[in-house]
Amino acid sequence: MKSKSKAASRPKPRNPTKPGPAKGLVDSVERIKAWMTAHGAGILVTNLKKGASAAAIAKAEKQLGFAIPAELKQLWKLHDGQKAELNGFIGSKDLLSVAEAVRVRTSLLMATQRVIEHEEGGEMTPSERDDLWLPFAARDRDMLAVHATSGRVFLYWEDFTLSSKTVTAWFESYANGIERGNYAVEEGFGDVYLSES
């Protein structure tokens, strides 16, 4: 009896296997890189730049006038985009650097406004119908973007389609899909890219 009440009063141990957002994101990116390297797409990994500095991220936030979502900051601290265009890390899309995201954002905002005005915002919530958007991957007009306050990830191609609840969840889903065989290495968009099957 005595030992039972002692055990009941002890705090439950934290689950060490459950990753937090940063760990989940880092783990997913590493899984993607490992798969690419093992399946003849190593150039997509070697094309990634080293992480962005805190100063570069702070400069971007000053230019933007709003805080970059924590998970996107974590992604850019891992890899600040790519060394060269093409050979993109995200399907056929390039992973944008912090500076490129700020620059490309202008076209994204034009698209956002057009969708809101003519198509009633697609899958956006009323609180997302503003200018707090930031792209993190792009190929021409095809972009992946995150809303700075909701943290939700949308795919833009003629309309905004909800892609994931968070940046971490998006990368976890991408890593899972790659490992399940939902993507194949194809020639094009540089040397190779991952096409969704």
Side-chain angles (χ1 to χ4, degrees), residues 137-167:
R139 166 73 53 231
D140 301 322
R141 290 177 41 191
D142 186 9
M143 295 184 208
L144 274 170
V146 63
H147 187 267
T149 53
S150 74
R152 297 196 317 156
V153 175
F154 285 77
L155 173 65
Y156 171 72
W157 187 78
E158 296 183 357
D159 197 354
F160 281 78
T161 306
L162 182 64
S163 190
S164 179
K165 291 183 179 178
T166 66
V167 171

Side-chain angles (χ1 to χ4, degrees), residues 49-57 73 75-81 98:
K49 287 202 259 180
K50 64 180 184 177
S53 66
I57 291 171
K73 282 186 196 179
L75 174 64
W76 279 327
K77 285 177 184 175
L78 291 172
H79 295 291
D80 189 18
V98 180

